[in-house]
Amino acid sequence: QVQLVESGGGLVQPGGSLRLSCAASGSIYSINSTGWYRQVPGKEREVVAAITPTRSTTYADFVKGRFTISRDIAKNTLYLQMNSLKPEDTAAYYCNLNVKTYSDPMGSDYWGQGTQVTVSS
């Protein structure tokens, strides 16, 4: 089994920064695609950023130039550095990892528990 633990959310003023982390543990063979999503009540979950095993990154237009996704392969950890935060960035943020394990060589998607980010003065 694979467990994902997110951390780093909280309350921040507009213009501030936060760094989210998503640590994976378990019988991990490899981590494939990874990404961060966010969701506000009443709306669908939307992709924020994604990074491939070769470190190719993509970003939603609404975070380009402000957010940076990265991963530490040795630590099985995914990060999201969020700068110049705006009130409209307020949402629950979720990490998503496609993980191969020794018992699941094809890989499966796993979600973090979510961490709340609130941007308000």
Side-chain angles (χ1 to χ4, degrees):
Q1 269 292 3
V2 175
Q3 297 80 40
L4 303 185
V5 177
E6 295 186 36
S7 61
L11 173 64
V12 64
Q13 292 186 343
S17 298
L18 284 174
R19 188 193 195 204
L20 305 184
S21 299
C22 174
S25 62
S27 301
I28 298 171
Y29 177 73
S30 68
I31 297 176
N32 303 316
S33 60
T34 58
W36 287 96
Y37 292 72
R38 70 186 189 186
Q39 188 171 24
V40 297
K43 292 190 176 182
E44 292 188 356
R45 191 169 296 185
E46 60 183 1
V47 63
V48 174
I51 184 169
T52 68
T54 57
R55 303 185 188 276
S56 175
T57 59
T58 56
Y59 296 92
D61 287 344
F62 51 78
V63 303
K64 281 182 181 177
R66 300 187 298 122
F67 291 11
T68 302
I69 188 172
S70 61
R71 56 189 285 177
D72 185 327
I73 295 175
K75 295 182 178 179
N76 288 331
T77 300
L78 181 68
Y79 302 99
L80 185 68
Q81 177 66 43
M82 305 185 294
N83 298 328
S84 302
L85 282 161
K86 305 175 181 180
E88 51 263 44
D89 293 319
T90 296
Y93 284 73
Y94 298 87
C95 59
N96 174 266
L97 279 62
N98 184 272
V99 181
K100 292 182 179 180
T101 66
Y102 295 97
S103 60
D104 178 19
M106 296 300 293
S108 297
D109 280 350
Y110 295 86
W111 289 92
Q113 82 278 14
T115 185
Q116 180 66 34
V117 171
T118 302
V119 185
S120 175
S121 55

